[in-house]
Each structure stands twice: as structure tokens, then as C-alpha cells.
Amino acid sequence: MSETIHELISEADVAAKIAELGAQISKDYDGEEIYMLCILKGGVFFMTELAKHITVPVSLDFMSVSSYGSQTRSSGNVRIIKDLDTPIEGKHVLVVEDIIDTGRTLAYLLDNLQQRNPKSLKLCTLLDKPEERVTEVDVDYVGFQIPDKFVVGYGLDYDQHYRNLPYIGIVEFDEE
Ligand code: IMP
Ligand code: MG
């Protein structure tokens, strides 16, 4: 099987949206410091670009989780592969994700993080596929709501490929 990528959201539209989110977040956290937590690997491109548009102090940390499932769908079995470097107790934690699909990964993660007593815990995602939600997740900041299609680019992968595309594209799987 091979695949073709069709542009869904242009590089310029992604950039404009991230600048908008950064401005909103800067306003909401006025006078505070944000502990930005990126979920590897997909959230990396989004987090670094978003951080550049935030005007309050930020520190960055990374977490890696694996959710066993098929190549295009997560399962509920989440495992922490790389944990945070420091405790988040008393900090304003902002989780930065590439996409929320079923919500299973985030539901597990937010529950896990909440138990560490952060001062606040918010969630920012570049993309949201609300049609596929099986677990309710409170999302504070959303870049784009997209239809239930498998997408790549701007950090998102298909079998580890296409993360470096500067735009968001829909993957069309063609039969051979
Ligand atoms: P969830 O647990 O179903 O919400 O899945 C979240 C994770 O699955 C994301 O962080 C992505 O790593 C991956 N994922 C879900 N949908 C897509 C997609 O359309 N393209 C690439 N990865 C996806
Ligand atoms: Mg991910």
C-alpha cells in the first residue's frame, strides 16, 4: 500500500492560528509563569512555535507516552515512556498536544498529572477530531477542529513519516 497527501490546512493558516493561540494564552496567564508540557513526538513542532508567541515566562518539559493500538488508532492502554524532569506541584501546567482523537491518551495523562497537584492544569491542542471522542476531555485551547480523517504534518506522523511537512495534510491510502 502507498499513500498520497492532500493539503488540508496551509502552512500560513497554521502559523496564523498559532500566533492567535499564543496571544490568547499570554493574556490568560498574565502575571503567571507557564510550565509547558509537550507530548512527544507529535507535539514538538507545535509547542516550539507556540512558545515563541507567548509573552509570559515559560519553561518547557517533555513527556513521552505510548498507547498501543493500530497505526491509525490509539487504544486505552497508555504507558509512560519518558516522564517529566521535575515535579509540577504548584505550577501552572499547560499540556501541548498535536491532536485529540478518541481522547484516551489525554484522559489517562490528565488524570496522572492531576494527582501531582499542579496549581492549574490546562490543555492546548493544535487539532481536534471531535467525532471520534470516546472519553470526555476538557480542552482549553483548540487550533482547528477537523473531520475524522487521518492527517499528517506539523509533527503528526504516519508510521513515523511526514512529521516535517510544514502544513497539515490528509492521508489518502491508495490500493496498488
Ligand atoms: P487518542 O488517544 O485517540 O486521542 O489519540 C491521540 C494520539 O493518536 C495523538 O497524540 C496522535 O499521536 C495519534 N493520532 C490520532 N489521530 C491521528 C491522525 O490523524 N494523524 C496522526 N496521529 C494521530
Ligand atoms: Mg501524539
Side-chain angles (χ1 to χ4, degrees):
M1 208 161 73
S2 68
E3 65 274 351
T4 316
I5 313 298
H6 299 281
E7 183 176 290
L8 175 68
I9 306 168
S10 73
E11 182 173 7
D13 286 351
V14 174
K17 181 62 77 175
I18 294 177
E20 203 181 289
L21 286 172
Q24 183 64 48
I25 289 167
S26 302
K27 215 195 257 177
D28 294 352
Y29 286 87
D30 187 31
E32 309 285 356
E33 173 162 351
I34 309 176
Y35 195 83
M36 289 179 86
L37 196 177
C38 171
I39 310 303
L40 295 171
K41 301 169 187 166
V44 168
F45 291 72
F46 178 39
M47 164 142 116
T48 55
E49 196 53 34
L50 181 62
K52 289 195 271 177
H53 292 279
I54 294 179
T55 52
V56 302
V58 297
S59 38
L60 310 179
D61 205 347
F62 300 87
M63 232 174 140
S64 179
V65 297
S66 95
S67 165
Y68 295 107
S70 69
Q71 263 171 357
T72 58
R73 187 105 303 158
S74 78
S75 70
N77 307 317
V78 183
R79 195 160 61 93
I80 295 177
I81 309 286
K82 184 219 170 292
D83 208 339
L84 296 172
D85 291 339
T86 54
I88 54 169
E89 187 166 353
K91 293 177 181 167
H92 290 292
V93 176
L94 178 64
V95 175
V96 180
E97 252 289 30
D98 49 1
I99 189 166
I100 306 178
D101 184 24
T102 65
R104 287 179 174 129
T105 309
L106 259 309
Y108 170 87
L109 203 65
L110 292 176
D111 184 58
N112 179 292
L113 293 170
Q114 197 65 66
Q115 289 171 27
R116 307 182 197 195
N117 298 314
K119 195 163 183 185
S120 69
L121 181 60
K122 285 195 182 186
L123 174 60
C124 178
T125 186
L126 180 60
L127 304 175
D128 182 19
K129 287 200 268 190
E131 285 168 49
E132 284 306 298
R133 204 59 47 79
V134 299
T135 313
E136 206 187 310
V137 180
D138 272 338
V139 195
D140 302 281
Y141 304 99
V142 178
F144 302 92
Q145 290 203 335
I146 61 165
D148 179 30
K149 294 275 163 55
F150 196 78
V151 292
V152 292
Y154 221 89
L156 292 143
D157 74 301
Y158 169 60
D159 206 10
Q160 297 305 322
H161 292 120
Y162 306 115
R163 291 194 197 274
N164 57 327
L165 286 182
Y167 58 89
I168 307 287
I170 292 180
V171 184
E172 191 181 287
F173 301 96
D174 16 70
E175 303 294 329
E176 272 171 7

